[in-house]
């Protein structure tokens, strides 16, 4: 009798699972979404809705997108900066036309010389901006 008291007593029932499903998730569907889910479930031929939903969730590849606000902000500012550069180019052309139209050749050339210096500085600044944006792209965008 002592041997029987040391061993576990069989109480009956099914064997316990080694890894039971204890986590529960609840979601709600509209009538249209529910009808679509039920039609997909019936078409699958699976006997259990829970297993069908699990197979849908984990058998298909899901992609998650992480949006970096800093990167988006940098891109938006760079875009607006580029549009400002374009407007400066348009204004530059208009200024050159007005100089030759309203001033003598000598005076227009003097003003254009000053404008040319500023344009050269702006071109150098543009090159620096391009270099910084390429560095940013290499470090943060291409992974």
């Amino acid at each position: 009798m002592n041997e029987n008291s040391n061993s576990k007593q069989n109480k009956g029932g099914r064997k316990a699972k080694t890894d039971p499903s204890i986590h529960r998730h609840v979601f709600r569907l509209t009538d249209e979404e529910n009808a679509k889910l039920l039609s997909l479930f019936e078409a699958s031929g699976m006997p259990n809705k829970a297993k069908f939903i699990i197979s849908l969730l984990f058998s298909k590849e899901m992609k998650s997108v992480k949006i970096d606000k800093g990167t988006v902000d940098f891109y938006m500012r760079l875009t607006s900066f580029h549009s400002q550069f374009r407007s400066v180019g348009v204004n530059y052309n208009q200024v050159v036309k007005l100089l030759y139209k309203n001033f003598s050749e000598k005076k227009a050339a003097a003003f254009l010389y000053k404008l040319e210096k500023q344009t050269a500085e702006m071109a150098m600044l543009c090159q620096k901006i391009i270099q910084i944006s390429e560095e940013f792209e290499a470090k943060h965008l291409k992974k």
Side-chain angles (χ1 to χ4, degrees):
M1 283 256 181
N2 288 340
E3 291 176 22
N4 287 340
S5 63
N6 288 342
S7 65
K8 290 186 180 179
Q9 203 174 24
N10 187 4
K11 293 185 180 180
R14 67 179 183 174
K15 293 181 182 178
K17 293 181 178 180
T18 56
D19 187 19
S21 299
I22 58 172
H23 302 284
R24 180 180 176 163
H25 298 277
V26 177
F27 59 94
R28 299 189 186 282
L29 301 173
T30 63
D31 289 336
E32 185 179 311
E33 293 168 339
N34 188 47
K36 188 173 183 179
L37 177 71
L38 290 176
S39 67
L40 288 172
F41 170 66
E42 289 171 3
S44 72
M46 293 184 87
N48 188 338
K49 274 189 210 173
K51 289 187 179 187
F52 168 71
I53 292 172
I54 289 170
S55 71
L56 280 179
L57 286 174
F58 295 118
S59 68
K60 293 183 179 178
E61 180 181 334
M62 289 189 194
K63 295 181 181 180
S64 61
V65 177
K66 180 183 173 188
I67 298 174
D68 185 9
K69 294 288 183 183
T71 305
V72 171
D73 186 43
F74 175 78
Y75 178 76
M76 294 302 292
R77 289 180 188 264
L78 190 63
T79 303
S80 67
F81 200 63
H82 182 263
S83 66
Q84 289 175 1
F85 259 78
R86 290 183 62 204
S87 64
V88 166
V90 170
N91 291 343
Y92 184 88
N93 289 339
Q94 291 174 350
V95 166
V96 170
K97 285 180 184 177
L98 286 174
L99 283 175
Y100 279 112
K101 182 179 176 183
N102 295 328
F103 294 104
S104 67
E105 188 81 23
K106 226 177 200 182
K107 259 190 177 177
F111 286 130
L112 281 177
Y113 179 72
K114 291 178 184 179
L115 187 61
E116 190 177 332
K117 281 185 181 180
Q118 296 296 322
T119 305
E121 288 180 25
M122 200 167 80
M124 288 175 48
L125 180 65
C126 184
Q127 291 298 322
K128 287 181 183 179
I129 292 169
I130 291 171
Q131 179 186 2
I132 290 171
S133 63
E134 286 174 352
E135 288 174 9
F136 181 82
E137 186 177 343
K139 286 182 183 177
H140 300 290
L141 296 180
K142 292 185 179 179
K143 290 183 180 180

